[in-house]
Amino acid sequence: MSNSVSSPVGKVGNANFPVDENGVVYHLGVANNGLAQRVLTVGDYGRASKLRDKLLEQPVKTTEHRGFHIHTGTYKGVRVSIVSIGMGTPMMDFLVREGRFVAVGPMAIIRYGTCGSLRDVPVGSLAIAKDCVLIRRNPDHWHPEGKDAQPYDISLPFAGDSALIGNLTTAFQKGEGLEGRQVVVGTNATGDSFYSSQGRQDANFDDHNQDLINKLMQRYPEASTLEMETFQLYHLATRSKEPIKAAAATIILANRVDNTFLDNDTKSALEIAGGRACLEALINTTL
Ligand code: R1P
Ligand code: URA
């Protein structure tokens, strides 16, 4: 007896953009129209399945392939997909590119994640990224021939969609279960590491990042939050030939000023309440 689980991806005949003979894309594992035009994406698989169970109407179609869990159903009668992607910009790159390939028509994508805060606001506050920069570690700095290379590169900012961000801000202000929560709107920085590129000090590694957060704040005084995916969403959305409106919000999990971290119960409640607000913003957006 075999323990193998059959793959949704059949024979692929294209090395440039791998799709099988039924149109199933190689990583997301869904074909034409297998993703809704309105997408709520999160990092954590558990967050996505909680949102599916609490907020989507039945029936919901769920697929799982290569770390992408896609739950497609309706919210208040409007077709939406809730997708968990794991962590980091490469996973967001797969979602936006392969999602754009299979979705039919203009899209709106909201990321709802967790983040660290550069501002001294209480953990459990919410943040909305009006725009986003990318912080990349530059390994050349540590190479014998790369002595002049800076250890980290901070990009120019790319903005989210102002109308979708406006809808999201309103939905957070009015959201059931979000009463009294502070909402910070500012610049997000996406790091290519949770650790070194977010300025965390790790005694086991030689990271040369002691002044990284100061450099970020000097260059971008509105920098408010640090996480790991939003830049790729905002950048690719602006480069898509068919329209993609993008917005991103986060639960402030880590306060990097006073070194506090949010408790699990509050995080869990905010995942549902904030997720509901994200779905409201998605369905109230004209595509
Ligand atoms: C790191 O702990 C992860 O949490 C944040 C970061 O962007 C990174 O993916 O977002 P999620 O909670 O959506 O995963
Ligand atoms: N996610 C991140 O990427 N950074 C944090 O500090 C917290 C959550």
Side-chain angles (χ1 to χ4, degrees):
M1 198 175 78
S2 163
N3 286 328
S4 66
V5 176
S6 70
S7 167
V9 185
K11 184 171 167 39
V12 172
N14 179 351
N16 179 62
F17 197 97
V19 178
D20 78 4
E21 63 269 37
N22 297 314
V24 176
V25 286
Y26 190 66
H27 303 92
L28 296 192
V30 289
N32 189 40
N33 207 26
L35 194 72
Q37 288 173 264
R38 291 175 168 83
V39 177
L40 171 56
T41 178
V42 303
D44 181 16
Y45 307 112
R47 187 180 314 147
S49 46
K50 266 192 287 188
L51 291 170
R52 171 199 62 196
D53 294 345
K54 298 245 182 239
L55 301 175
L56 294 191
E57 289 131 9
Q58 292 297 323
V60 178
K61 181 172 168 50
T62 293
T63 61
E64 296 183 12
H65 187 56
R66 291 298 295 255
F68 296 92
H69 296 196
I70 303 178
H71 311 284
T72 300
T74 55
Y75 176 73
K76 297 191 175 172
V78 180
R79 188 168 186 249
V80 296
S81 294
I82 298 177
V83 185
S84 56
I85 65 170
M87 292 175 264
T89 53
M91 296 301 272
M92 184 61 88
D93 195 77
F94 284 129
L95 172 66
V96 178
R97 288 179 188 277
E98 295 189 7
R100 180 57 284 172
F101 185 84
V102 295
V104 179
M107 296 179 76
I109 305 178
I110 294 182
R111 160 167 158 74
Y112 186 46
T114 58
C115 72
S117 174
L118 297 168
R119 314 223 161 252
D120 195 8
V121 292
V123 291
S125 302
L126 298 165
I128 294 177
K130 68 177 176 57
D131 58 10
C132 187
V133 300
L134 178 65
I135 306 176
R136 272 169 301 194
R137 181 173 168 114
N138 179 6
D140 285 1
H141 172 79
W142 286 267
H143 192 281
E145 290 169 30
K147 287 201 174 57
D148 294 336
Q150 290 297 311
Y152 298 89
D153 170 61
I154 304 174
S155 79
L156 291 165
F158 282 79
D161 181 83
S162 55
L164 188 57
I165 288 173
N167 282 354
L168 191 54
T169 309
T170 307
F172 272 9
Q173 282 159 353
K174 290 190 189 160
E176 182 191 332
L178 298 178
E179 300 82 1
R181 292 275 156 198
Q182 196 168 330
V183 180
V184 179
V185 180
T187 296
N188 177 67
T190 291
D192 66 358
S193 161
F194 179 87
Y195 293 101
S196 66
S197 306
Q198 294 187 24
R200 288 189 160 88
Q201 302 306 301
D202 179 349
N204 290 313
F205 290 88
D206 158 28
D207 286 322
H208 293 191
N209 65 349
Q210 288 82 355
D211 60 350
L212 179 59
I213 288 183
N214 280 341
K215 279 191 175 156
L216 172 68
M217 300 297 289
Q218 271 165 20
R219 186 160 162 202
Y220 295 110
E222 288 193 59
S224 306
T225 49
L226 289 158
E227 52 73 89
M228 298 180 65
E229 294 83 16
T230 296
F231 183 85
Q232 201 68 12
L233 172 60
Y234 281 13
H235 173 55
L236 282 185
T238 68
R239 307 276 49 89
S240 174
K241 293 175 184 170
E242 256 201 282
I244 301 178
K245 294 181 175 177
T250 41
I251 301 167
I252 295 178
L253 202 60
N255 178 328
R256 297 293 303 281
V257 180
D258 70 6
N259 210 21
T260 51
F261 208 85
L262 187 64
D263 67 276
N264 288 336
D265 288 349
T266 310
K267 176 177 162 228
S268 199
L270 286 171
E271 287 176 325
I272 301 300
R276 186 189 296 112
C278 291
L279 290 172
E280 288 289 329
L282 277 174
I283 68 167
N284 287 322
T285 292
T286 309
L287 294 179

